[in-house]
Amino acid sequence: MSISLEEVRHVAQLARLELDEDEVLAFQGELNALLGHFLDIQGIDVSDIDAQSHAVTMQNVWAEDFPWESLPRELALKNAKVSRAGLFVVPAIIED
Amino acid sequence: MQSYIPSIGMEVHAELATRSKMFCRCSVAFGGQPNTRTCPICLGLPGTLPVPNRAAVEMVVRTALALNCTIAMRSIFHRKNYFYPDLPKGYQVSQYGDTNPLGYGGYIEIPTSDGGVKRVGIRRVHLEEDTGKLMHLPTGESGIDYNRAGVPLMEIVSEFPPDIQNAEEAKDYLVQLRQILLYLGVCDGKMEEGSLRCEPNISVRLKGAEKLGTKTELKNLNSFKSVQLGVGYETSRQAAVLEKGEKVLQETRGWNEQKEESYLMRIKETENDYRYFPDPDLIPMVFDDAYIEGLRKSLPELPLSKSQRYEKDYGLDRKESWEFLVDPEWSRFYEEAVKLGGDPRLIRNEMVSEFAKHLNETGIPARESRVTPAHIVELTKLKKEGQITSKMGKDVFVAMVKDGRMPAQIVKESGAVQISDESQLTSIIEEVLKTHPDAVAKYKGGQVNVKGFLVGQIMRQSKGQANPEMVQDLLQKALEQA
């Protein structure tokens, strides 16, 4: 299991990370080391274990549909770097 | 130009009619001051845990059942990862996979203009969360309102390869789907407020070709009309591109309602890029047969079945049936009136004339009006039995709207019962003929249409209470004898 330079660039692009060629190489090494651990896991015999998406055995935990009080707006906006007129303000985003 | 066949897939998003959001209990409503309906969960703050809204899950399962889907007896939520600040968490909770969505593999039946029905496959019905709203600020920045973030959103996707083959069918599909959602009470269906949104994908291929063409996705369609126009436009645009020997690109296009044309928004990201994975914060939903069957039994009669029943049992035609079915409240009113023992045809006529006019003018919904099904039934009976004329019916209606009295009582109290007594009518007629000798002379001279004028005078003299059929007969006799 190994990751190509092209895959590193693709993942970086998806994560909106700008990497120079040295960094691409460095991350390839680090990611490949990580992926190596999965090889160890793949060595375990799981043939009699069902596939599962969660580590807990609980199911069907619901909340009833009764509204609660929301945060006061000042509090909701408190962590925002910039806010104006009750809005979170961010740099212009062009969806690609 | 060669002949091209369109294939249209429909992706519809419906905001569910719950009171609170999907994974937190912030209130759900349209409009309001920005960022006044948020909490640590829907703001995606660290250390919070989402808990699914039971009512929302139930609404999606009921919709899936109404759309003849298979229900996933075990279903999980996934994270759809993307970078865009309309959701503060960096992902949208959604449902991925072919057999994981709450419902899959169903169909919807759409009435066609030839009186039949067309079946359109439904690929899946799943549950996700809505995003916040971004607006462009004059400073060039973007402002975000998270009131809508986390509102329960149901996505309904039609089957692939698509069954829909033209713009009108695309519109009809949406109309029918909206009706079903309204009757289930799971969505308010307001396209103009964005609680029901439709994103068709469109491709065309040469007639006879097996392989489907490259598809484009169309956004910003906020009315039935724009769905039909948009799909039609996109179909012709693609055919023209192919005709020039060029290729259709896989892209997302917006709809400009003023110009009535589509424009390029972006080249589409491929599906893998969202890196879906099971949301570890949300545990599986597991249903048993008893629960599903219970919900199936609780489904109301759906609009298509109602329309067929109205045609068969009530003698309405298809257009008349759908006049009632566009509004669940309106059709409920109609059915209640018919159940009270009225004549379905007369009740229909009464409702679509004075009553509809009154509701339109006042903006009052039928259920809040003082006029009940019992009022309408009694009014039609009084008219049918000849106790009041249709002109008197209008006055009775006005009185009924004003204070809610029953029609028979209004008639009794006003003393305005229809005059069907022959001697009484005869004396009125004689009086009118006496005061209009010129008219009588004209009639005798062959101007028979002057009779209409005389009928008018008689009705006026009787304050509109004279039985019109009897007046016709008696006047005829009187003129012949004069």
Side-chain angles (χ1 to χ4, degrees), chain B residues 321-338:
Chain B
S321 298
W322 285 101
E323 278 171 4
F324 286 117
L325 291 165
V326 288
D327 177 2
E329 198 58 46
W330 197 227
S331 67
R332 186 192 58 79
F333 193 107
Y334 177 63
E335 287 183 30
E336 273 180 30
V338 173

Side-chain angles (χ1 to χ4, degrees), chain A residues 10 14-16 53-54 56 58-68 70-71 73 76-77 79 84-93 95-96, chain B residues 18-20 25-26 34-39 51-54 57 74 76 83-84 139-144 146 266 273 275 279 282-286:
Chain A
H10 178 63
L14 286 179
R16 306 298 188 270
S53 54
H54 292 74
V56 292
M58 285 193 296
Q59 57 194 37
N60 294 349
V61 174
W62 316 113
E64 298 306 326
D65 187 26
F66 299 115
W68 63 25
S70 293
L71 285 180
R73 184 158 77 183
L77 292 168
N79 285 337
R84 208 177 304 132
L87 298 168
F88 290 85
V89 176
V90 298
I93 309 283
E95 208 178 347
D96 63 0
Chain B
T18 54
R19 300 170 62 204
S20 66
R25 306 285 73 76
C26 282
N35 294 307
T36 51
R37 289 193 291 269
T38 69
C39 72
V51 185
N53 185 333
R54 184 205 298 267
V57 174
R74 183 181 186 280
I76 64 169
F83 283 85
Y84 197 61
T139 55
E141 297 159 300
S142 294
I144 315 167
Y146 285 125
R266 63 183 160 124
D273 288 355
R275 293 152 293 142
D279 190 323
L282 290 160
I283 58 176
M285 300 176 274
V286 179

Side-chain angles (χ1 to χ4, degrees), chain B residues 47-83:
Chain B
T48 55
L49 274 180
V51 185
N53 185 333
R54 184 205 298 267
V57 174
E58 206 156 286
M59 286 180 185
V60 175
V61 174
R62 291 174 71 233
T63 306
L65 287 169
L67 296 175
N68 310 290
C69 288
T70 303
I71 304 299
M73 300 311 268
R74 183 181 186 280
S75 182
I76 64 169
F77 288 107
H78 292 85
R79 290 184 182 179
K80 177 183 179 178
N81 300 279
Y82 64 96
F83 283 85

Side-chain angles (χ1 to χ4, degrees), chain B residues 206-334:
Chain B
L206 258 185
K207 194 176 177 182
E210 287 268 321
K211 200 168 164 281
L212 291 177
T214 303
K215 64 186 179 187
T216 59
E217 191 178 302
L218 203 52
K219 285 183 184 277
N220 302 346
L221 301 168
N222 52 17
S223 68
F224 293 131
K225 188 181 157 218
S226 48
V227 169
Q228 185 164 0
L229 287 176
V231 171
Y233 177 90
E234 197 47 26
T235 306
S236 324
R237 187 191 68 84
Q238 290 186 14
V241 168
L242 295 178
E243 196 67 8
K244 277 191 282 182
E246 293 168 8
K247 278 185 178 158
V248 173
L249 298 175
Q250 186 176 348
E251 60 198 18
T252 301
R253 300 181 69 88
W255 178 247
N256 184 320
E257 203 170 327
Q258 279 74 43
K259 291 186 183 169
E260 296 191 352
E261 58 186 42
S262 71
Y263 59 92
L264 177 65
M265 285 175 88
R266 63 183 160 124
I267 306 292
K268 210 167 157 50
E269 275 187 81
T270 61
E271 189 174 52
N272 297 339
D273 288 355
Y274 289 125
R275 293 152 293 142
Y276 286 94
F277 66 88
D279 190 323
D281 286 346
L282 290 160
I283 58 176
M285 300 176 274
V286 179
F287 309 108
D288 59 27
D289 290 333
Y291 173 76
I292 300 298
E293 287 317 305
L295 289 181
R296 196 192 300 275
K297 284 199 189 94
S298 78
L299 293 180
E301 184 187 14
L302 296 177
L304 182 63
S305 153
K306 276 184 190 289
S307 84
Q308 288 162 345
R309 193 161 54 83
Y310 288 8
E311 287 170 42
K312 193 167 151 279
D313 298 349
Y314 302 161
L316 303 187
D317 66 26
R318 180 166 280 196
K319 189 167 160 275
E320 291 168 339
S321 298
W322 285 101
E323 278 171 4
F324 286 117
L325 291 165
V326 288
D327 177 2
E329 198 58 46
W330 197 227
S331 67
R332 186 192 58 79
F333 193 107
Y334 177 63

